[in-house]
């Protein structure tokens, strides 16, 4: 799990394959290991010990597997206003998204992209997603703000898209009308 695929590896540019149920032992472990990576990476001591970069999302192509699977783990916020989101998502799809655009004020980073690429990544502020969990149960959830941005970033990975594809090359900090910023 330490071996994250880096930009330039063709697996990051492929459309990932649908995962069939019941899950193989291999697929189940893949999901569990991706979540484990996020948990370990968010613990400052373990992060240092294993020389990891912290992440809040990880998609299967980032560990070299071209399958529709991703893990998301948002750390609990200090003010506790926004509810944390934790899920291993199998075959996730965005079923609807808000017209309201949003972007992270500081831009996005990606475990597969070593250098900082400055610019706003325009996203939808809210999304409704559907996915299956490791037991094949269907979930439909509505997310907003930071969790919504992370999920869009991870689902992009499953279709071969990287965050910087969305940055305006002419004007990386151009703002969409009404765009809201999330820190
Ligand atoms: C330590 C412990 C500053 C710069 C702030 C760190 C626990 C950037 C932000 C974390 C930035 C945790 C993150 C993402 C950004 C920047 C991802 C720190 C891990 C902040 C996650 C997928 C984009 C997600 C907010 C170029 C690896 N994550 N920061 N973007 N954090 N982290 N993304 N942006 N500027 N990437 O990167 O997991 S969506 Cl939780
Ligand atoms: Ni990424």
């Amino acid at each position: 799990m330490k071996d994250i695929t880096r930009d330039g590896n063709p697996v990051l540019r492929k459309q990932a394959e649908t995962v069939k149920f019941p899950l193989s032992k291999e697929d189940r472990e893949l999901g569990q290991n991706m979540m484990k990576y996020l948990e370990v990476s968010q613990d400052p001591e373990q992060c240092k010990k294993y020389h990891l970069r912290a992440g809040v999302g990880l998609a299967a192509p980032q560990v070299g597997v071209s399958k529709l699977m991703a893990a998301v783990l948002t750390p609990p916020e200090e003010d506790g206003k926004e509810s944390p989101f934790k899920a291993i998502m199998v075959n996730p799809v965005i079923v609807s998204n808000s017209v309201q655009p949003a972007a992270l004020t500081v831009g996005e980073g990606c475990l597969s992209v070593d250098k900082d690429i400055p610019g706003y990544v325009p996203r939808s502020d809210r999304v409704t997603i559907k996915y299956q969990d490791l037991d094949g149960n269907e979930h439909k959830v509505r997310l907003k703000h930071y969790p919504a941005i992370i999920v869009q970033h991870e689902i992009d990975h499953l279709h071969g898209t990287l965050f910087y594809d969305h940055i305006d090359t002419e004007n990386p900090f151009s703002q969409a009308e009404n765009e809201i910023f999330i820190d």
Side-chain angles (χ1 to χ4, degrees):
M1 225 17 81
K2 282 187 68 172
D3 303 301
I4 303 289
T5 55
R6 296 301 146 97
D7 194 7
N9 186 323
V11 73
L12 289 172
R13 291 305 192 175
K14 287 211 305 211
Q15 166 63 47
E17 305 276 337
T18 302
V19 178
K20 300 212 174 65
F21 283 89
L23 242 48
S24 64
K25 187 167 172 272
E26 216 185 356
D27 286 345
R28 176 175 286 273
E29 285 174 359
L30 169 67
Q32 290 166 339
N33 286 338
M34 290 196 298
M35 183 57 79
K36 189 76 201 168
Y37 179 99
L38 297 179
E39 288 168 353
V40 169
S41 81
Q42 289 182 19
D43 175 52
E45 258 137 57
Q46 296 193 73
C47 186
K48 229 171 109 186
K49 184 170 160 201
Y50 297 113
H51 307 281
L52 305 177
R53 241 182 87 192
V56 287
L58 186 62
Q62 295 185 276
V63 294
V65 182
S66 194
K67 288 184 179 175
L68 292 173
M69 212 190 279
V72 173
L73 178 64
T74 64
E77 291 200 55
E78 279 130 58
D79 58 18
K81 265 199 269 174
E82 229 92 37
S83 47
F85 183 62
K86 175 178 185 173
I88 299 167
M89 307 183 293
V90 182
N91 302 321
V93 282
I94 294 173
V95 292
S96 70
N97 46 270
S98 65
V99 174
Q100 172 71 64
L104 295 184
T105 318
V106 282
E108 295 188 13
C110 177
L111 298 174
S112 296
V113 180
D114 288 330
K115 54 176 182 168
D116 271 7
I117 301 179
Y120 296 141
V121 180
R123 306 262 185 208
S124 291
D125 182 48
R126 297 178 297 279
V127 288
T128 302
I129 55 163
K130 252 167 69 173
Y131 65 90
Q132 288 163 285
D133 62 26
L134 295 180
D135 298 315
N137 301 311
E138 290 272 357
H139 297 261
K140 189 175 175 181
V141 281
R142 202 173 116 90
L143 300 169
K144 57 179 180 180
H145 311 323
Y146 194 37
I149 296 220
I150 299 161
V151 160
Q152 290 171 81
H153 176 118
E154 300 314 323
I155 292 179
D156 267 356
H157 273 299
L158 305 179
H159 305 290
T161 300
L162 294 171
F163 73 93
Y164 62 77
D165 298 343
H166 298 291
I167 299 176
D168 184 337
T169 45
E170 298 285 290
N171 183 3
F173 293 99
S174 65
Q175 285 172 237
E177 206 180 329
N178 298 324
E179 191 159 41
I180 65 163
F181 288 95
I182 297 157
D183 6 66

